[in-house]
Amino acid sequence: MYTFGIDIGSTSSKAVILRDGNELIAHVVVPLGTGTVGPKEAREKVFEISGLTPQDISYTIVTGYGRMNCDYADDQISELSCHAKGIHYLLPTADTIIDIGGQDAKAIKISPRGQMLAFQMNDKCAAGTGRFLDVMARVLNVDINDLGPVSEKSTRPVAISNTCTVFAESEVISQLSSNIPIEDIAAGIHNSVAKRVVGMALRLGRSQNVAMSGGVALNVGVVHAMSRELGCPVLVHPLCQSAGAIGAAVLAWEKYLKGEGKVS
Amino acid sequence: MSENATLKENTAATDTAAAPAPKPKRPKPKSMIMLGEQTNALFENARIAKENGEKVGWSASIFPQEIAETLGLNILYPENHSAGIAARHQADPFLQECEGPLGYSNDLCAYAKVNLAYASVLNGESNVELPDGGKMIKPDFLLLTNNICNQLTKWYENLAKQMDIPVFFIDTCYNAYDYVTETRVRYVRAQIDKLIEDLCAFTGKTWDEERFKKIMEISQRNSYLWERANNLLDRKPSPLSGFELFNYMSAMVCNRGKESSTAVLQQLNDEIEQHIKNGTSTFPVEEQFRVSWDGIACWPYLGHNLRTLKKHGINMVASSYGKAWAIEYEDLDGMARAYCFASTNGDNATTMIARRIEALEKFGCEGTIYHVNRSCKVMDCQMMEVQRQISARTGIPFTSFDGDQADYRNYSEAQFETRIQGLVEVMRQNKEAISNG
């Protein structure tokens, strides 16, 4: 029995097909989010890879920023619960999740069964989000995927003090014009994200079993900065970016078992 | 101004345009009609008094209204008025005027920003069109207590300077302890005595002790009825959609010492009791979850808040906000004592937490929604610690959202929806865990 999970984010779309709620059949990430062709492409590709068709799917759950605008899903669930479930699937020992998405950052406390117990989210300011890193990568003229490796070469990270993205951008430009090495600025940017998000995560209490979710978890510089700020290792799974979609597919399986919704 | 286009304030109008044919509106209950008449009378009486050469005042919301009522003064309420402007999506030109030509900071309380701009129009210094035709007539004096907010002091000082009018002011202290010392009572009582004396001298009115006693009886009756109406929401399901109580706050804020409020609140109580008797509710869908609301209403998005909660069957049955006006006292000493403790912003965290836990239990709340209000930084100051401690002690989940009591630019609909959905998912799990033993 197959379930389909799709995470329509603000900057990317992730699609996943699971067999019997545990076997990952296919997963796709398309770097285009809600309001673009991204969700459609992700869906088409994941079916193409799996060799399945929508008729083979027993239950579909959509999550993410664009979850309200999906007409084929059986149900929509918040990205909070989906990341909780998805990370539990990928990293079962984690009890605290930090998810940095395109436009918001979340800290989630989960039960041993992967259920969300409590959560904190950033205020609507973009600082500490994936969008913040996008803006900074552009200013540094570094591909967003290279920002992490570049920052790892830093020996003297600068301090980025502003919590506002626009002001931080000015600060970075000022550092650049003072000929500060790009790697030190990149490391400073990652530290600034980590400080902001860790401050929020600690409101849920301290934990030694923290995992990162979402695309920003692929940035090794952020993960290391986060680990330093938390004072413990941070678990990251290679499929972290798809964690929300995986969680959606797992929840789709659970709902299917309960007999909720339609069977197509 | 392109930014304004994306931050279009008329969200309600936008939503309506996109929606299918609107459902026929539920007829207004009699209590709401009475309330509307009372509000109209408040403004109309002030206008007539002004025309007759009497002095008219503006007052802070938690000022002992009975003083003005005893003296027969006509008083209008800037905070209440600004909330109304914001709720009707009319705040934008005032915010622009205040932050632009008038030169005030964006960080000020948005009630203050709207009112300072409005006052500037009344004073002939600004040209913003007044959507209500100027019914908030120009004051001759100001009544102020700082128990709800210290920024009010500067706001009113500016109004006083701008219009060259006096402020009659009662200073209260922050409560580091959960009791009030007699020294503090004497401090506030002395100010009340002096304020009455000065107000009489300024307005030409006379203090009548017998009339004061009568007004206090009315006020206490109203306080009782208001608290009772709030408390009737402890029934399951609640007979009322909790947000509706916000509409009745003007009866307590602006008219606490008036018999017309007794009539409105008695009618409201009767209507709620009728719902209880009939097993009906004004909450339009099945009540699946009961929550408490912490903080001032997010007036510019009250409709969006309500629609989002309704979608998930969430009824807001307890609020620390509305009950702030259920103040009990019988004489001037009692008044002094009560006003030492008359606002959540004057309370220490221990008191705030104890009151909220009591309310969560009484009303059977399964979650709390905290409004992190950009306009009211004092209220936000203790909120993080309050939510942490309450959640740790009760295990009741919560979420918070960024918003504003009157500045529509400080809110994101998508973020509110995600947070509420997250809270629902935790509350549902908790419910299932209980039913599964």
Side-chain angles (χ1 to χ4, degrees):
Chain A
M1 202 61 70
Y2 299 99
T3 54
F4 178 51
I6 183 159
D7 177 0
I8 305 175
S10 60
T11 55
S12 64
S13 304
K14 288 77 68 174
V16 160
I17 293 175
L18 283 185
R19 181 189 286 135
D20 296 341
N22 58 37
E23 187 186 345
L24 190 59
I25 300 297
H27 60 92
V28 163
V29 177
V30 174
L32 291 167
T34 185
T36 71
V37 295
K40 184 168 175 277
E41 267 184 31
R43 187 179 182 222
E44 285 171 1
K45 272 192 191 171
V46 84
F47 279 116
E48 191 184 317
I49 294 167
S50 64
L52 298 169
T53 68
Q55 284 69 41
D56 297 317
I57 301 297
S58 298
Y59 206 97
T60 297
I61 282 184
V62 60
T63 187
Y65 187 67
R67 68 188 182 283
M68 307 295 183
N69 305 316
C70 176
D71 55 9
Y72 56 80
D74 298 302
D75 202 356
Q76 55 93 5
I77 292 180
S78 80
E79 50 267 44
L80 291 152
S81 288
C82 288
H83 277 280
K85 206 53 135 177
I87 285 294
H88 182 68
Y89 173 91
L90 296 170
L91 300 163
T93 59
D95 60 19
T96 301
I97 300 164
I98 291 173
D99 167 46
I100 302 185
Q103 68 164 14
D104 55 31
K106 319 168 193 74
I108 309 165
K109 197 166 185 62
I110 63 171
S111 74
R113 290 173 54 210
Q115 289 179 318
M116 176 168 63
L117 299 174
F119 62 92
Q120 291 280 349
M121 290 177 75
N122 63 310
D123 59 31
K124 65 188 181 308
C125 166
T129 68
R131 182 68 77 192
F132 177 82
L133 291 169
D134 284 340
V135 170
M136 297 306 150
R138 199 183 64 228
V139 176
L140 294 178
N141 196 25
V142 173
D143 187 285
I144 184 70
N145 298 315
D146 296 333
L147 201 59
V150 166
S151 71
E152 292 293 279
K153 294 176 192 157
S154 168
T155 51
R156 296 180 63 188
V158 297
I160 305 289
S161 55
N162 271 301
T163 53
C164 164
T165 303
V166 176
F167 291 169
E169 187 179 3
S170 305
E171 215 175 330
V172 166
I173 291 168
S174 162
Q175 304 274 14
L176 278 172
S177 65
S178 305
N179 295 318
I180 304 289
I182 282 180
E183 54 265 31
D184 289 339
I185 301 175
I189 288 165
H190 293 153
N191 288 343
S192 129
V193 169
K195 279 180 199 292
R196 193 166 168 90
V197 176
V198 166
M200 181 180 75
L202 289 179
R203 285 194 220 143
L204 295 175
R206 281 200 179 272
S207 164
Q208 295 296 309
N209 302 303
V210 181
M212 263 192 81
S213 184
V216 175
L218 295 170
N219 180 325
V220 68
V222 172
V223 175
H224 287 165
M226 204 73 81
S227 177
R228 279 195 300 276
E229 285 297 322
L230 285 165
C232 71
V234 172
L235 303 167
V236 178
H237 192 280
L239 295 180
C240 57
Q241 197 171 6
S242 296
I246 292 172
V250 174
L251 286 164
W253 171 250
E254 290 179 1
K255 280 188 172 269
Y256 172 75
L257 288 185
K258 283 185 193 169
E260 290 183 28
K262 74 172 182 65
V263 177
S264 57
Chain B
M1 287 297 158
S2 59
E3 190 173 300
N4 281 344
T6 55
L7 288 168
K8 190 170 166 55
E9 193 183 8
N10 292 326
T11 53
T14 309
D15 289 352
T16 312
K23 284 185 198 167
K25 278 195 173 175
R26 185 163 52 96
K28 271 188 185 176
K30 189 178 172 191
S31 59
M32 274 300 288
I33 294 167
M34 291 165 72
L35 187 80
E37 287 166 356
Q38 184 190 48
T39 304
N40 289 339
L42 183 82
F43 286 108
E44 185 59 11
N45 289 342
R47 187 187 65 77
I48 293 167
K50 186 88 169 183
E51 275 181 8
N52 292 338
E54 284 193 47
K55 291 187 165 65
V56 171
W58 284 3
S59 172
S61 61
I62 304 190
F63 179 89
Q65 195 265 341
E66 300 85 357
I67 293 176
E69 195 65 35
T70 301
L71 294 174
L73 293 168
N74 284 281
I75 306 294
L76 301 175
Y77 291 81
E79 291 157 73
N80 195 265
H81 180 250
S82 292
I85 293 237
R88 288 189 293 273
H89 309 288
Q90 296 164 339
D92 186 60
F94 296 103
L95 298 170
Q96 300 289 346
E97 180 71 11
C98 191
E99 293 174 21
L102 299 184
Y104 286 99
S105 164
N106 170 274
D107 284 336
L108 279 190
C109 158
Y111 283 172
K113 284 192 285 192
V114 169
N115 181 252
L116 286 163
Y118 195 102
S120 182
V121 176
L122 295 179
N123 216 33
E125 294 162 7
S126 293
N127 289 317
V128 177
E129 189 182 340
L130 302 179
D132 55 10
K135 68 179 184 181
M136 189 77 183
I137 57 171
K138 192 174 171 183
D140 301 294
F141 63 93
L142 302 166
L143 301 177
L144 172 65
T145 41
N146 59 356
N147 46 15
I148 196 167
C149 159
N150 267 315
Q151 200 178 102
L152 264 166
T153 313
K154 290 296 158 194
W155 166 9
Y156 275 45
E157 280 175 6
N158 281 21
L159 287 175
K161 169 100 174 152
Q162 186 181 17
M163 300 195 240
D164 193 22
I165 56 175
V167 187
F168 297 91
F169 174 43
I170 300 169
D171 176 50
T172 62
C173 303
Y174 176 78
N175 288 296
Y177 308 103
D178 51 5
Y179 56 88
V180 177
T181 61
E182 287 310 305
T183 316
R184 285 192 176 190
V185 174
R186 287 203 302 278
Y187 172 60
V188 174
R189 171 68 201 264
Q191 292 180 77
I192 291 172
D193 290 345
K194 182 75 170 84
L195 183 140
I196 291 170
E197 186 187 323
D198 291 347
L199 200 53
C200 286
F202 180 76
T203 59
K205 303 280 185 182
T206 313
W207 184 258
D208 177 341
E209 197 60 37
E210 286 307 307
R211 179 168 162 81
F212 175 65
K213 281 182 187 160
K214 169 81 177 148
I215 296 294
M216 282 310 304
E217 281 171 19
I218 297 168
S219 166
Q220 289 312 285
R221 174 77 184 148
N222 291 342
S223 233
Y224 164 77
L225 288 170
W226 175 238
E227 181 144 30
R228 188 167 183 278
N230 276 270
N231 286 344
L232 286 173
L233 271 63
D234 68 353
R235 306 300 198 282
K236 293 182 185 177
S238 163
L240 213 63
S241 171
F243 274 106
E244 286 176 26
L245 279 181
F246 285 165
N247 295 329
Y248 292 88
M249 283 175 54
S250 66
M252 289 306 286
V253 174
C254 315
N255 300 295
R256 197 167 55 243
K258 290 189 168 79
E259 283 178 329
S260 57
S261 280
T262 314
V264 169
L265 295 171
Q266 186 61 61
Q267 176 65 27
L268 173 64
N269 272 270
D270 291 348
E271 288 165 6
I272 297 175
E273 280 176 353
Q274 195 60 43
H275 278 298
I276 293 170
K277 198 173 153 193
N278 298 343
T280 54
S281 171
T282 62
F283 189 60
V285 296
E286 185 193 347
E287 182 181 282
Q288 295 183 50
F289 300 102
R290 299 164 65 85
V291 301
S292 70
W293 180 277
D294 210 286
I296 296 175
C298 184
W299 293 111
Y301 294 94
L302 200 61
H304 182 256
N305 292 163
L306 181 58
R307 283 196 300 280
T308 307
L309 298 192
K310 192 178 83 177
K311 193 167 77 181
H312 297 288
I314 303 173
N315 194 0
M316 186 279 287
V317 294
S319 146
S320 59
Y321 179 37
K323 285 188 77 171
W325 279 267
I327 310 167
E328 288 174 22
Y329 47 93
E330 290 173 354
D331 53 21
L332 288 177
D333 266 352
M335 180 188 282
R337 191 180 306 279
Y339 277 79
C340 286
F341 247 127
S343 159
T344 191
N345 282 347
D347 295 344
N348 61 26
T350 313
T351 308
M352 285 176 79
I353 289 163
R355 284 183 186 172
R356 280 156 178 74
I357 289 178
E358 190 186 329
L360 288 172
E361 286 168 1
K362 175 176 169 51
F363 291 94
C365 295
E366 299 153 293
T368 303
I369 299 167
Y370 292 88
H371 176 195
V372 182
N373 180 355
R374 295 290 282 251
S375 266
C376 195
K377 292 170 178 71
V378 184
M379 198 171 277
D380 299 346
C381 177
Q382 295 186 121
M383 192 177 270
M384 301 299 161
E385 182 57 14
V386 166
Q387 60 187 218
R388 189 187 69 78
Q389 285 198 35
I390 291 176
S391 176
R393 286 196 211 170
T394 63
I396 294 173
F398 67 90
T399 191
S400 60
F401 72 97
D402 270 296
D404 200 292
Q405 61 202 27
D407 191 333
Y408 69 100
R409 297 165 297 185
N410 296 328
Y411 181 82
S412 157
E413 293 190 352
Q415 287 209 355
F416 182 77
E417 287 163 13
T418 298
R419 288 159 197 234
I420 296 303
Q421 191 173 357
L423 178 66
V424 166
E425 287 160 6
V426 178
M427 290 193 297
R428 184 170 293 128
Q429 265 167 215
N430 290 350
K431 247 189 166 103
E432 284 171 3
I434 291 167
S435 65
N436 293 336

